[in-house]
Structure formats: structure tokens, C-alpha cells
Amino acid sequence: MKAKFSLDDDGVVVIIGSGAGGGTLADELTQRGVNVVILEAGKHYTQADFENDEWAMFKKISWLDKRISAGGWHHTETYPNLPAWIVKGVGGSTMHFSGLALRFLPHDFKTRSTYGEVKGANVIDWPISYDELAPYYDIAERKMGVAGTKASGLPEMPPNNHYKVIAAGAKKVGYKDISRPVASNTRPNDGRPACQQIGFCMQGCKIGAKWSTLYSEIPRAIETGRAELRPQSMVLRIEHDKSGKVSGVLYADKDGRQHLQKARVVCVAGNSIESPRLLLNSASSLFPNGLANSSGQVGKNYMNHTTAAAVAIHKGPVYMYRGFDIAAVISDEAQLNPDRGFLGGYHLEGLALHLPFTAAFMKPGGWGREVTSALEQYDHMSCVWVCGEDMPQEENGITLHPTEKDQYGLPIPIVTKTDHTNDAAMRRHGLAAWRKVSEAVGATRVIDMPPYPASHNMGTNRMSANARDGVLNKWGQTHDIKNLFVSDGSQFTSSSAANPTLTIVALAVRQAEYIAGAMQRREI
Amino acid sequence: MSNTSSRPPMRVIEKRVTLSRRGFLKGGGMAALGVGALSTATLMMPADEALAANFKVLGAANGKTLLQLARDIFPHDRISDRYYLQALEPLEAQAAQDDKLKALLTEGVAALDRLAKLRFKKAYTELPKESDRLSLLYVIEHGAFFQKVKGHLVTGFYDNKAVWPLFGYEGSSWEKGGYINRGFDDIDWLDNDA
Ligand SMILES: Cc1cc2nc3c(=O)[nH]c(=O)nc-3n(C[C@H](O)[C@H](O)[C@H](O)COP(=O)(O)OP(=O)(O)OC[C@H]3O[C@@H](n4cnc5c(N)ncnc54)[C@H](O)[C@@H]3O)c2cc1C
Ligand code: SF4
């Protein structure tokens, strides 16, 4: 039964965004009897819209509204208007995401206590610990169907060629922690089929073997009769009453008509650029610096991982695109080891690109035989993505353009990122490690690539024990406004070296429990 | 080493063209541009001249230069000019709608030729040595014309399904049932090494 709520219904929880955070929250809240309205800026695509075609899908589902890259990072040159790679559509970036589901390590929640003060960075501990989140990691692994985990009970993803090449090299250089926990069914599970090794996981899994809130959490929420999904509904601002509690949200529908949806609780899950942007755009006379921004930390501390990529050309064919897109993941370097000359750690993640993206991302702007001689060996390539912790820095963040506006008349976001010296040292180490792994199995040429547009966006509404240091408490509830929550990766206090989605889902499950309880207790 | 005999060899893609010239001429690329049947006169011209004749908006002379430029930007010796033409077709189609783009391209070609004549007393396409042509491209590589053509080619050339087999890339796979039974794990040269 499909629910329909009136605009005046002030008993609903409004969820802004339907990706990893918002989709999970909708599912978990409706299972607990809460009514929700999901407002999603993008369209409602289905698997019928998915094509095994990198550019076609990129153009179809990416968030392509104008953004500006600023700061010292490479993106000001390589991707001046595409700082981040985020999806606009029901299911959010879980459509594009490649499915790797790694847990944070215990020290990731205690970065300030572990690292001490880090010069030039704004490091604090999370207000929660690994142990507090561990049971929710189990639930998240089960929900997402993470292959090879105890919680899901699903068998491991069978190794493909790309996995085998990387794992062989890794073992030769002495790495031990080689795994592949990916959110894709290795047997039929949760009403979805088993992976057929189609290899276009990042283009939207055509058969739905890979987890996405598009076809798992969202339909489940709708089936309860307690969720209404409104696609093509772009939230423009969050409104509040005289007492400072949020009261509803103003959004534009597909025809540009504006509506005000009343709400008992508002949860922001628009990913780490749009979420702080929305809070900043919701400034009022009561909250002149934006909603929930008494700390001044909204939009600050933007993290997107210390990343780099590289391809290796092998002596025999690999066909890295055959099969699940994540290959072997080497986690030995994710452990702390100050001897390497940097704090934190990184994963080496085998990640296949198809030919069109390899051509575009290998040497953006490059040309000539240097490029073509490598691409002619595309079938012999393996490809890695270095994913490491980056340091929160106050100057890195999301700000509003002083004059330029988007199609809704809202100031466009400027995304500023400059590497910390720690990030640069880690990137060098990661690329050197990949070279060793590749050369150990006889790779003849290794080509370092610059980072891709940021796919992991975090930290811009961070959690903090003290209201002075961050935007949210340990439930993702804003320090300033009791019935306003943030439910996406912008909650992260540190980035860890792990890909963010599993942690976003675990936090959303935990937050749903809290919100449902607090509503019952009439605290909100 | 011992187990290589017990399993089938790796499914390897021959990086070869299977399309006939005739098949190509009938193919979708030019039809999409609105180019109808080719006259027999066109078929009798040397290959590159025949291809250049397809540049109806920019003209054959500009077309010839753009074809050479495209090949110099992304040189693949085993890949014939027809694929470079296919890569440029959408750019020409855009130029038909966009006077500014058309001017950028025609003036860019003219400037490149002026530079070539200044240095080598010949037009760019008349320079037989790749290194001579490249020396000119290094001069213009940061300019709007070169950037436009190169930027377009990244997708125009490599996102063309017709060239994918030449790189050993197989494209869309879901309709073939993925790779679960088509060699996702059939690598056979690693054992010799491990
Ligand atoms: C190519 C790619 C590969 C990736 N691979 C991995 C991986 O292997 N493992 C991993 O952990 N992570 C991966 N990620 C990252 C992962 O997808 C994101 O971290 C995760 O989806 C973020 O969840 P979220 O809820 O914060 O935002 P999203 O999932 O991005 O959802 C945000 C949604 O909010 C909507 N929205 C935004 N603003 C508004 C507004 N004002 N009004 C209404 N709706 C709005 C957007 O349209 C979007 O649908 C990948 C990402 C990409 C792009
Ligand atoms: S490899 Fe598996 S998960 Fe990825 S697209 Fe194919 S079927 Fe889906």
C-alpha cells in the first residue's frame, strides 16, 4: 500500500535524500512504525534504465549541477567543475558505488587520542567508539549483503582475473591481509539474484545483485505503507518556528513549483556537499550563519580520502573488466605504523575501469604516444585505487558562491580542498607500494594517475562530544536544534581509510533507533 | 604449471577489425549525420581524401587536417582513419549548429597551417615526419583549438563501440549473461610466476 501524506501533516519525519544514509533511515524508521516523506532531488530510475556503458550512465545519473573546485588539490586543474562524483537519483550514490564495504578500525574513532595534536589539522575524537558501533556494523553487513562476512552469512565473492593478479603480487611482497568484502549477493539473497560477474557494478547493477537502496531499502519502506517517496523534489531550505525548532522544508518539484512540507523531524542526507549547503542556505534572522551552525563548523573539515590511482601493464592479458569491479583489497597498510612517515593508513583497492574511463582518467589532459601506447595494452592492465585517511582541516570545506546561482536561484557550492602534508606522504607511499605489488608479478609498466573526482565525501557536519567543536552529537542530532538530524557521511569526525558507505548505513540504523525512541518518549 | 593442461585456455580477444569497409560505409555513424548514399566518385578517391570529403560542414580541406590532427593526438598505428573520422563526426555535427565552434575549428586549422608554413614551408598535412608535426602541436597544445579537439576525442574516439574490440575490450555484457561463464576467472599465465 502506497502512503500519501498531506503537505500540512506535521507528524511526519522528512528525509532529504534517498542514498546510503537517507534510504537506510527510511527503511529503519518505517519498520519502527514512523511515517516518513522522502524528498529526493533526482529522478526515479529503475534497472531498465541501467546501461552497461560508463559515459551513458555517468551522464544519466550524476549530479551535474555546477560546482567549483578550489584550493590546492589537483581537481582545480583536472575537474574544475566536477570536484565530486555523486549521484542525483533515487538510491543516490549507492547506484554508482562499487560495493566495497570495509569497517573502520577502532582507532579511527579516537584519532585525537591516538595521534595527539596534528599540526595544521582539526582532529578530534568521535563521540562514539568502535564497540558502540560494532553491533550496527553487523546489521549493516546483513542489510547490504556483504559477501564473506559472518554477519551476512554470504560466501566470498569468487576471485576474478583482476583479483588473482593483484593478490598474487600482494602475497609475493609479503602482504597478508587480502580480502574482498563487497556488497553483492554471492547467492540469491533478500529477494535479489546472485552476481553474474557482469562487471558494470559502478554503472548500476543491471540485475540488482549489488546492494543499492534504490531496490532494497526504499521499496521495503514503501511497502510498509508508512513512506512516501517524492522524486524530483529538490529541497531549497529548511524552515523553523519561533522557538527555533525546525517545522518543515521548502522544495521545488519537477516543474519548479514550490511546496512547503511540514515536519515533526527533519533528517538531512544529501551527501557531504549538499547537506551543509542546505544548512547554510537555510540561514534566517534567528540563525544568521545557517542552521545548526553555532559552532561555525557547518561545511568545514571536508574530507574525501587521500586517494590516487594507478594502472599496471602485465605481460599477459587480465581483462580487468570481467567480473565484479572491486578486485583484491590489500589492508596491511591500513594499520597504524608511524615508521612510514605518516599518520593513519590506507587500503590498496583493486578497482577495474572499463576502456572509456581508463582513457579519460589515466592521464587527464594527456595525449600522444605516451598515452596511446599504454591504452593499447588495456587488456593487460590491472588498476588500483589508493584509499587512505585524510586529515580534517578547517579550511577545507563547502562555501557558497557570492554571486553565481544554480537553476533554483541558490548560490552554487565551492568545494575547497588542499592536501595536508600527511596526505601527500601517504599518497606517495601508496603508489610506491602498488608498483611493488605489480612488479612482483612481472608488470612491465606502471602508470600513476591523479585522483578521480571525489566519490567519498565526508566530514562537513561532523559529530563532536562538545558542541563547540562540531555540528552533531553522537546520534547525528544537531547540537543546536533537537528535531534536526544529519544522516549521511557528513557526520564523520574522521575519514578512516575505509570506504564510507558501510559506516553510513550502520550510523543510520543506529540513528533510526534513537529517533523512533525519542519520538515515542515525546522528546522530539 | 601442471594445472594449465587440466583447464581450457584463457578466452583471449583478438584485437582485430572484423567490420568490412562496405559494412562501415553503410553503418550508423554517417547516417546519423544525415549523409546519404556516397557517390561512386567518392568511392574511387584515395582513402583519406574520401574520408575528408565527409566533412560537409567544415569542408574537405579542413577535414583532412582534423583527421591528421586527431591521429597525432591519439596515434594508434593499427587503427585506420575511418575510426578517427567517426570520432570527429559528432564534433562536425555540433559545428553545424554552433557558429562559434565552427569558427574555432576553421580558424584553428588555418593557424596551424600558417605555423607549419612559417616553419616548414608546407601545410601541416603535407609534413611527412611525425616529429615535425608534433613540434607544431607542442606550440598550440594549450590553445583553445587543440584543447577542444583533444577534449572531444577522449570520448569521441575511445567511447566509440566500434573501436573497443581493437583494444580487447568487450563492452556491454549483461545481455550475454555477464562473465560468470565467459572467463571472469580464466587467467592462465600467473601460475608460471607464482
Ligand atoms: C563511482 C563511485 C564508487 C563508489 N564506491 C564505493 C565503494 O566501493 N564503497 C563505499 O563505501 N562507497 C563508495 N562510494 C561512495 C558512496 O556511494 C557514498 O559514500 C554514499 O552513497 C554516500 O551516501 P549519502 O547518503 O551520504 O549520499 P548519497 O548516496 O550520495 O545520496 C544523497 C542523495 O541526496 C539527494 N539530494 C542532495 N541534495 C538534495 C536536496 N537538496 N533535496 C533533495 N535531495 C537531495 C541526492 O540527489 C542523492 O540522491 C562510491 C561512490 C561513487 C560515485
Ligand atoms: S558484477 Fe555482479 S554486482 Fe557487478 S554489475 Fe555484475 S552482477 Fe551486478
Side-chain angles (χ1 to χ4, degrees), chain A residues 52-53 159-161 164 172 196-198 315-317 319 321-322 354 365 367-369 372 375-376 379, chain B residues 10-11 13 15 73 75-77 130 141 150 161 168-170 173-174 179 183-187 189 193:
Chain A
N52 281 185
D53 183 322
N160 66 341
N161 294 339
K164 291 182 187 180
K172 278 197 155 187
Q196 288 182 10
Q197 308 294 338
I198 292 172
K315 53 194 187 188
Y319 302 114
Y321 58 83
R322 290 184 188 168
H354 293 257
W367 60 281
R369 291 195 184 271
T372 54
L375 289 175
E376 286 183 354
D379 51 348
Chain B
M10 191 169 189
R11 187 170 66 82
I13 311 294
K15 294 191 266 191
I73 291 176
H76 292 287
D77 297 338
E130 184 175 356
E141 68 172 325
K150 186 193 67 184
K161 294 182 172 60
Y169 173 58
E170 297 168 83
S173 84
W174 70 272
Y179 291 103
F184 80 103
D185 62 348
D186 63 356
I187 194 162
W189 54 265
D193 209 285

Side-chain angles (χ1 to χ4, degrees), chain A residues 16-22 39-42 63 85-89 91-94 96-101 202 233-235 269-272 274 278 326 455-456 487-489 499-502 504:
Chain A
I16 302 164
S18 62
L39 298 173
E40 166 53 58
W63 187 288
W85 187 1
I86 290 175
V87 174
K88 188 192 240 185
S93 308
T94 65
H96 257 329
F97 106 125
S98 46
L100 185 57
M202 277 202 278
S233 301
M234 171 75 182
V235 177
N271 206 324
S272 297
E274 291 308 310
L278 180 57
I326 292 282
S455 52
H456 299 172
S487 320
D488 59 20
N499 306 45
T501 307
L502 183 74
I504 294 174

Side-chain angles (χ1 to χ4, degrees), chain A residues 138-348:
Chain A
D138 286 345
I139 299 172
E141 282 169 353
R142 203 152 52 232
K143 283 175 82 72
M144 296 168 68
V146 182
T149 58
K150 209 157 89 192
S152 77
L154 293 170
E156 281 180 15
M157 184 58 75
N160 66 341
N161 294 339
H162 195 203
Y163 179 100
K164 291 182 187 180
V165 177
I166 297 172
K171 280 181 199 147
K172 278 197 155 187
V173 302
Y175 285 136
K176 305 241 152 36
D177 190 356
I178 304 161
S179 68
R180 203 185 188 195
V182 291
S184 178
N185 286 339
T186 41
R187 58 171 151 71
N189 170 47
D190 201 21
R192 296 180 287 113
C195 173
Q196 288 182 10
Q197 308 294 338
I198 292 172
F200 284 87
C201 319
M202 277 202 278
Q203 282 62 49
C205 178
K206 190 74 184 163
I207 61 169
K210 183 195 79 178
W211 173 84
S212 168
T213 55
L214 169 66
Y215 38 71
S216 27
E217 275 66 17
I218 304 271
R220 197 150 59 221
I222 290 172
E223 264 165 43
T224 63
R226 285 189 282 272
E228 183 186 345
L229 169 69
R230 294 184 203 150
Q232 292 179 276
S233 301
M234 171 75 182
V235 177
L236 310 173
R237 59 183 285 126
I238 302 171
E239 304 277 346
H240 62 79
D241 61 18
K242 283 202 205 89
S243 75
K245 272 183 18 185
V246 295
S247 54
V249 307
L250 182 73
Y251 70 94
D253 68 17
K254 64 175 193 318
D255 305 314
R257 274 194 307 258
Q258 298 194 356
H259 308 274
L260 184 76
Q261 172 66 54
K262 290 199 171 149
R264 179 168 165 189
V265 174
V266 172
C267 300
V268 187
N271 206 324
S272 297
I273 296 175
E274 291 308 310
S275 289
R277 179 183 180 221
L278 180 57
L279 295 179
L280 294 173
N281 273 331
S282 301
S284 66
S285 50
L286 194 57
F287 301 113
N289 300 322
L291 289 190
N293 198 18
S294 65
S295 64
Q297 295 290 310
V298 169
K300 305 270 171 74
N301 309 307
Y302 171 65
M303 299 174 285
N304 53 24
H305 277 143
T306 296
T307 71
V311 293
I313 297 173
H314 293 278
K315 53 194 187 188
V318 178
Y319 302 114
M320 63 171 161
Y321 58 83
R322 290 184 188 168
F324 197 86
D325 66 354
I326 292 282
V329 176
I330 305 165
S331 300
D332 298 71
E333 302 283 3
Q335 301 298 336
L336 295 176
N337 174 8
D339 292 349
R340 292 171 304 187
F342 54 86
L343 299 165
Y346 63 86
H347 296 273
L348 290 171

